Amino acid sequence: RDARDVVPGAYLRRIPEAAALAAKRAHPKALILCMTCVDALLGTDIDRVAREAERACGVPVTGCFMDPIARESKNAPMVSVQQAVMRFLLPAKTDPGQVNLLGNFAPLEAESELPRLLKQAGISRIGQLSACRSFAEYQALARARLNVVVHPQAAASAKDLERRLGIPFVEIS
């Protein structure tokens, strides 16, 4: 609309309604609200907005800031997105043969050495977000015994998963 809606936050009241409409039309398993740098600068309580949207649409909702001003900071947009995407994982029984690779939004190249090395170390399942074809496959990522951070932008997400789900991590480069 216009600046008169943005500064006082009037548009925020419309987000739960929009989330409910999106859920009704698309039947998602979860929703991520990506807020702009304007919201970051105004101090929008993204967690409150996500809770209200979740109540309105009936599916898990989380939020993240897509703030290009912060692209060189610890809260860079891709760091925020990685954290938001992994926030939907729920606690699960650990699979000692599973390791996740975090930080790659595309599957590893077929000739990559990493899967071969992990299999030699006794790993039978390598979880990658980009390889998940369903929400159930995504939830199976919570079964990992270890998260391997292959890109620095995923380190914050790995720390969150260690804190929330008890999955330790290691960073490689």
Side-chain angles (χ1 to χ4, degrees), residues 92-99 122-125 140 142-146:
K93 183 179 177 192
T94 301
D95 175 353
Q98 179 177 330
V99 166
I123 301 304
S124 57
R125 178 168 152 61
R143 298 178 52 204
R145 79 175 200 190
L146 178 70

Side-chain angles (χ1 to χ4, degrees), residues 46-57:
I46 195 168
D47 294 329
R48 180 189 59 79
V49 174
R51 283 191 307 273
E52 290 175 7
E54 187 169 313
R55 280 193 292 277
C57 71

Side-chain angles (χ1 to χ4, degrees), residues 32-59:
I32 297 176
L33 300 176
C34 293
M35 307 295 266
T36 68
C37 55
V38 172
D39 292 290
L41 291 169
L42 292 174
T44 298
D45 184 349
I46 195 168
D47 294 329
R48 180 189 59 79
V49 174
R51 283 191 307 273
E52 290 175 7
E54 187 169 313
R55 280 193 292 277
C57 71
V59 298

Side-chain angles (χ1 to χ4, degrees), residues 3-169:
R4 291 174 296 192
D5 289 328
V6 173
V7 175
Y11 70 98
L12 295 173
R13 289 190 290 277
R14 300 182 71 193
I15 292 174
E17 177 185 330
L21 182 60
K24 182 178 178 182
R25 288 184 179 170
H27 310 290
K29 302 288 184 191
L31 289 172
I32 297 176
L33 300 176
C34 293
M35 307 295 266
T36 68
C37 55
V38 172
D39 292 290
L41 291 169
L42 292 174
T44 298
D45 184 349
I46 195 168
D47 294 329
R48 180 189 59 79
V49 174
R51 283 191 307 273
E52 290 175 7
E54 187 169 313
R55 280 193 292 277
C57 71
V59 298
V61 177
T62 192
C64 67
F65 287 110
M66 295 301 295
D67 183 0
I69 296 170
R71 74 174 179 262
E72 300 300 325
S73 75
K74 68 177 186 147
N75 297 320
M78 289 313 296
V79 171
S80 181
V81 168
Q82 293 255 353
Q83 288 179 287
V85 168
M86 300 308 273
R87 210 171 283 139
F88 296 113
L89 289 178
L90 300 172
K93 183 179 177 192
T94 301
D95 175 353
Q98 179 177 330
V99 166
N100 293 332
L101 304 181
L102 302 182
N104 54 330
F105 277 122
L108 288 180
E109 303 275 332
E111 59 274 359
S112 174
E113 292 180 61
L114 187 55
R116 183 176 47 79
L117 292 171
L118 290 171
K119 287 187 189 286
Q120 287 175 354
I123 301 304
S124 57
R125 178 168 152 61
I126 300 170
Q128 295 182 80
L129 179 63
S130 57
C132 294
R133 295 177 307 233
S134 69
F135 199 68
E137 286 184 12
Y138 161 78
Q139 282 298 333
L141 297 175
R143 298 178 52 204
R145 79 175 200 190
L146 178 70
N147 285 322
V148 177
V149 176
V150 297
H151 192 286
Q153 291 179 330
S157 182
K159 290 174 187 170
D160 286 350
L161 291 170
E162 183 173 52
R163 181 184 48 78
R164 278 190 326 101
L165 304 179
I167 304 172
F169 71 95

